Amino acid sequence: MVLIFFSLFPAGNALFAQTKSLSLELGGSAGLGSINYEKAFREAAKHQLAFRIGISGFPIDRNSGFAFVLPFTLQARWGVRPHQLETAMGFNLSLTTRAKLFSQAIPAIAYRFQVEGRRLFFRLAYTPLISFIFNWQYQHWGGLTIGYDL
């Protein structure tokens, strides 16, 4: 509803960017790796807000089976290209083939490199995995991403 409201006004169109990207992340917010879709919903000269959703999967053990992982994050990016600081907050939903459900918080801080006018980008991120449903666990983790703006 808010998007429709702002799209009716010329100034509103500038608030909602159409930047979209696909990326492959090794490590990172989904654990071992993921394929992600990212879309910016607000852009300005030196900052950008976006959401990201991904998918991943990996075998756990005989008791838990295979896990499907869906990472969701909201991201803020600061700076001008090619060097940008990125922060994010989100969560993972993990569902195993043995019907076990897990969730983790995934804060992140990252360095993003993307040359102005180019579609390819790289990101190096610190993405600790925080479990909080059954007990509190904190695992230091990181990821390396290569992506492409659509």
Side-chain angles (χ1 to χ4, degrees), residues 78-98:
W78 290 279
V80 293
R81 291 180 181 176
H83 309 287
Q84 294 178 306
L85 173 68
E86 191 174 287
T87 58
M89 188 61 195
F91 64 95
N92 279 341
L93 285 179
S94 302
L95 179 63
T96 70
T97 52
R98 304 283 194 261

Side-chain angles (χ1 to χ4, degrees), residues 126-145:
Y126 174 64
T127 57
L129 304 174
I130 304 169
S131 298
F132 53 86
I133 292 182
F134 298 111
N135 58 8
W136 178 265
Q137 295 177 347
Y138 186 94
Q139 180 180 0
H140 295 284
W141 199 248
L144 180 61
T145 303

Side-chain angles (χ1 to χ4, degrees), residues 34-65:
S34 61
I35 297 171
N36 302 287
Y37 171 78
E38 181 179 305
K39 182 172 183 186
F41 58 88
R42 182 173 172 103
E43 284 190 27
K46 293 186 178 183
H47 73 277
Q48 183 179 48
L49 299 175
F51 72 87
R52 185 169 73 148
I53 183 169
I55 188 163
S56 179
F58 54 89
I60 299 176
D61 58 28
R62 285 184 174 216
N63 295 329
S64 297

Side-chain angles (χ1 to χ4, degrees), residues 23-36:
S23 63
L24 180 62
E25 185 173 39
L26 179 61
S29 57
L32 298 178
S34 61
I35 297 171
N36 302 287

